[in-house]
Amino acid sequence: MIEVKNLIKTFEGRGQVVRAVDDVSTQVAKGEVVVIIGPSGSGKSTFLRCLNGLEEFNDGQVIIDGIDLTESKTNLNAVRREVGMVFQHFNLFPHKTVLENVTLAQRVVRQRKPAEANERAMKLLTKVGIAEKANEYPSRLSGGQQQRVAIARALAMDPKVMLFDEPTSALDPEMVGEVLDVMKQLAREGMTMAVVTHEMGFAREVADRVMFMDAGRLLEDAPPAQFFTAPREPRAQAFLKQVL
Amino acid sequence: MPLKRHAIQWPWRGLLVVILLGLAASLWYATQRIHYEWRWERVPQYFAYRAEVSQDAPVAGRVSAVTPDGGVSRIAIAPESGGPLVTVTVEQARVKAGDAVAANAAVGVNFEWRVGPLTQGLWVTIWISFVSGFVGLAIGLITGLCRISKNPTLRGLAIMYIELIRGTPLLVQIFIFYFFIGTVLNLDRIVAGVGALALFVGAYTAEIIRAGIQSIAKGQTEAARSLGMSATQTMIYIVLPQAFKRVLPPLAGQFISLIKDSSLVSVIAITDLTKSGREIITSSFATFEIWFTVALLYLLVTAVLSQLLFWLERRFARSD
């Protein structure tokens, strides 16, 4: 479903060139849940943002469901509607109600009729347990509720892949669970997911594979059972000693 | 002791009243010193007045009777050529019974309400401001978008336009627009005046809108793009509505300024409120009264606009 070949992304600043993503290659099969972990600044968010072209990468290839993002003929907007993304800071549209947040892209991108979009939105809002807030503005919702709306908004486009960029990092501890529960349910339903997170419990429980990144490099790629009990790389061992 | 003490308010309010009364008294004293005679009663006629319209006799003949009937008079005329009496109704008769009248000679007058020059000037000021504000907003929106465009040509043109307009006085711009561009393109003075004002307000609006767009968090654009929306759709549905809400207060200030700046078009002989005032003074000699009245009228228009935009702002605040 996702194929990444020799991906390189550099940032330039103050005369220095930082290789945020340094020659990463990997594949994610349909229905697979991949969790990407690593220390801050290791390039895991940048890597994730390259997967839907939000970040323009310098070299390499990203192929989503057979479509190469780097190909000049590729319509990025058409690819992005198949790739849902959930952000650390939710990024709900504050001037629209919860329902409008979930229906807007359905109407203007998928060209669905309002009734159809509303029905799909209400179904998803019910699924993430927030249907009763449909007519509220996002500012009236707690962080956990906002993030669940953001997940519903991404799902409303019927994506083939979901990307999660530290979805629980900006939440109060007591709200982390409700968001993780929604993500676990999605994983059970067979959604292809790439998740950047610091929630080791989630990685252990849900992930099919854990990818460990440091300084832009993909250092280890292993099933969670193996990664958490016997990591090969010394850098991964040191990281796990800190966080577990 | 509670941390927040309730200060006593009324002595300060009293002081405010005293200061205002003092200002009014000094104004009165100042006019006394220069022996200015206030003639406020001359002002209302410049808003609206009752004009005399003369009523002519339909036929030549002799007035046989003038009968008052309520507020009007009925004049009965016996035609020279014979035949039945012809009756004319007027508000004020100018003939008596027995007078001979020629055909189409005035026999009396009617009174009609007419709009005075102050009202006409006020109306011109309002519609000139409205039209140039509307056009200026459109220019500002387009220029603001060009200003943040990735295309160097568009960006360069936008910057040049903004700097050119902001760096020169409006009065000079109006003269250039009227005498140079207006002559070349053979423009009407009203078109030249509205055009100059629209270009002026457009440059300032462009910078306000640019700042508004850039103040919207990048995450909003990223969220919209990640849902597959195009750059244009993102701008229309996500960025501009939020930016517009945020820039409403500075925009309001800009449009209030525009109403006041529109007084400068009087230099190219557009009879707006200011020019009407000047013209009235030449005939009435009530200099102070007219200028005070003109100032008050500007204040009235800007206050109404101010309230309107404040109301709009509160409406937009629903989602906060």
Side-chain angles (χ1 to χ4, degrees):
Chain A
M1 184 61 81
I2 307 174
E3 203 178 342
V4 181
K5 289 181 193 161
N6 306 102
L7 185 67
I8 293 178
K9 166 71 188 177
T10 59
F11 288 110
E12 282 177 46
R14 299 200 198 96
Q16 281 184 320
V17 177
V18 181
R19 295 170 86 85
V21 179
D22 194 356
D23 196 19
V24 171
S25 301
T26 189
Q27 286 186 355
V28 180
K30 190 171 188 318
E32 207 174 9
V33 177
V34 174
V35 170
I36 305 157
I37 62 177
S40 304
S42 59
K44 45 194 197 307
S45 283
T46 310
F47 170 70
L48 197 72
R49 290 156 57 85
C50 286
L51 297 185
N52 68 350
L54 270 189
E55 209 74 70
E56 290 176 354
F57 43 88
N58 301 68
D59 203 7
Q61 268 182 312
V62 173
I63 299 163
I64 304 280
D65 199 23
I67 301 167
D68 188 344
L69 295 194
T70 47
E71 195 110 5
S72 59
K73 291 195 296 277
T74 301
N75 177 1
L76 259 186
N77 295 332
V79 178
R80 282 185 184 134
R81 71 180 73 146
E82 310 297 339
V83 182
M85 186 157 192
V86 176
F87 299 85
Q88 181 178 357
H89 294 290
F90 333 134
N91 298 350
L92 292 181
F93 307 133
H95 62 303
K96 303 225 170 265
T97 63
V98 165
L99 186 64
E100 288 166 345
N101 262 277
V102 185
T103 54
L104 178 67
Q106 294 190 63
R107 286 193 290 106
V108 303
V109 178
R110 290 269 191 224
Q111 255 110 48
R112 289 182 186 151
K113 299 262 182 309
E116 189 191 353
N118 277 351
E119 193 188 337
R120 178 92 182 106
M122 286 314 294
K123 201 177 275 175
L124 285 167
L125 287 173
T126 310
K127 181 175 174 178
V128 300
I130 207 150
E132 75 280 3
K133 302 274 187 189
N135 293 315
E136 296 275 8
Y137 283 98
S139 57
R140 305 246 189 280
L141 270 54
S142 73
Q145 293 172 325
Q146 290 194 42
Q147 193 61 296
R148 284 185 282 151
V149 173
I151 293 173
R153 178 176 71 178
L155 289 175
M157 300 299 287
D158 299 314
K160 294 178 178 137
V161 181
M162 283 287 282
L163 309 176
F164 292 84
D165 186 4
E166 303 202 23
T168 56
S169 298
L171 296 177
D172 288 344
E174 54 178 337
M175 292 170 183
V176 170
E178 62 190 60
V179 172
L180 290 182
D181 285 343
V182 171
M183 291 168 64
K184 282 174 195 166
Q185 193 191 341
L186 267 184
R188 276 199 300 274
E189 289 168 4
M191 175 63 77
T192 311
M193 291 161 67
V195 185
V196 171
T197 187
H198 294 296
E199 295 293 328
M200 296 304 149
F202 177 82
R204 213 192 283 252
E205 187 185 337
V206 183
D208 295 309
R209 277 159 53 205
V210 175
M211 287 166 61
F212 177 78
M213 284 182 78
D214 186 42
R217 294 191 151 271
L218 175 57
L219 291 182
E220 190 151 356
D221 185 345
Q226 186 190 329
F227 178 80
F228 285 110
T229 48
R232 275 182 295 110
E233 289 284 329
R235 187 66 190 84
Q237 289 164 5
F239 176 78
L240 284 177
K241 200 177 278 174
Q242 290 295 322
V243 297
L244 291 180
Chain B
M1 197 168 73
L3 202 59
K4 191 182 168 194
R5 279 171 294 168
H6 285 278
I8 300 166
Q9 294 279 319
W10 67 263
W12 299 108
R13 293 182 200 281
L15 183 63
L16 179 67
V17 171
V18 168
I19 291 173
L20 288 178
L21 284 175
L23 281 174
S26 56
L27 191 72
W28 179 80
Y29 177 69
T31 54
Q32 285 293 304
R33 269 190 58 151
I34 57 168
H35 306 293
Y36 188 81
E37 202 178 316
W38 292 97
R39 295 196 187 87
W40 282 104
E41 72 283 357
R42 289 194 185 172
V43 174
Q45 58 175 321
Y46 296 107
F47 282 100
Y49 61 95
R50 279 170 77 76
E52 287 183 2
V53 183
S54 67
Q55 174 71 54
D56 298 340
V59 290
R62 192 163 289 279
V63 177
S64 61
V66 178
T67 9
D69 179 8
V72 296
S73 303
R74 288 181 204 289
I75 304 170
I77 303 170
E80 260 172 16
S81 50
L85 290 178
V86 179
T87 312
V88 183
T89 310
V90 296
E91 287 180 39
Q92 202 175 79
R94 291 277 158 90
V95 289
K96 305 189 297 291
D99 286 357
V101 288
N104 299 329
V107 291
V109 290
N110 288 318
F111 294 97
E112 246 176 42
W113 278 107
R114 289 278 169 83
V115 173
L118 269 183
T119 316
Q120 273 171 356
L122 181 66
W123 170 242
V124 170
T125 287
I126 289 172
W127 82 254
I128 279 188
S129 305
F130 183 80
V131 172
S132 52
F134 198 75
V135 177
L137 190 64
I139 295 175
L141 184 61
I142 293 164
T143 313
L145 288 172
C146 289
R147 176 80 176 71
I148 52 173
S149 153
K150 287 198 182 84
N151 183 321
T153 315
L154 292 177
R155 209 171 51 228
L157 282 173
I159 292 173
M160 257 170 51
Y161 160 63
I162 292 168
E163 292 304 321
L164 211 65
I165 297 291
R166 291 204 307 184
T168 51
L170 175 57
L171 192 55
V172 175
Q173 289 166 21
I174 290 173
F175 281 134
I176 290 176
F177 214 94
Y178 180 54
F179 289 113
F180 179 63
I181 300 173
T183 310
V184 171
L185 299 178
N186 196 17
L187 296 179
D188 183 59
R189 67 179 76 245
I190 295 274
V191 178
V194 170
L197 284 176
L199 277 184
F200 176 78
V201 80
Y204 285 87
T205 309
E207 282 295 90
I208 293 173
I209 286 175
R210 175 189 66 84
I213 290 173
Q214 287 179 336
S215 78
I216 302 303
K218 224 175 136 226
Q220 290 290 309
T221 309
E222 285 181 351
R225 297 307 298 273
S226 78
L227 290 166
M229 289 164 82
S230 69
T232 315
Q233 287 171 333
T234 303
M235 195 48 90
I236 292 172
Y237 294 106
I238 305 302
V239 179
L240 281 181
Q242 295 183 55
F244 186 70
K245 173 183 161 188
R246 203 168 285 184
V247 300
L248 205 56
L251 270 187
Q254 195 59 52
F255 288 121
I256 286 168
S257 280
L258 172 67
I259 290 173
K260 298 179 293 174
D261 291 340
S262 75
S263 64
L264 288 173
V265 297
S266 60
V267 297
I268 55 170
I270 293 174
T271 313
D272 71 330
L273 185 52
T274 302
K275 186 153 185 293
S276 299
R278 266 204 333 240
E279 283 171 1
I280 292 166
I281 288 164
T282 56
S283 63
S284 71
F285 303 108
T287 317
F288 291 7
E289 294 87 334
I290 295 298
W291 281 130
F292 278 127
T293 308
V294 166
L296 214 66
L297 287 173
Y298 275 112
L299 194 64
L300 197 75
V301 177
T302 53
V304 167
L305 180 69
S306 188
Q307 282 302 310
L308 216 68
L309 287 162
F310 183 60
W311 172 81
L312 208 61
E313 212 177 304
R314 268 183 314 187
R315 254 188 68 111
F316 281 141
R318 264 190 326 186
S319 59
D320 290 341

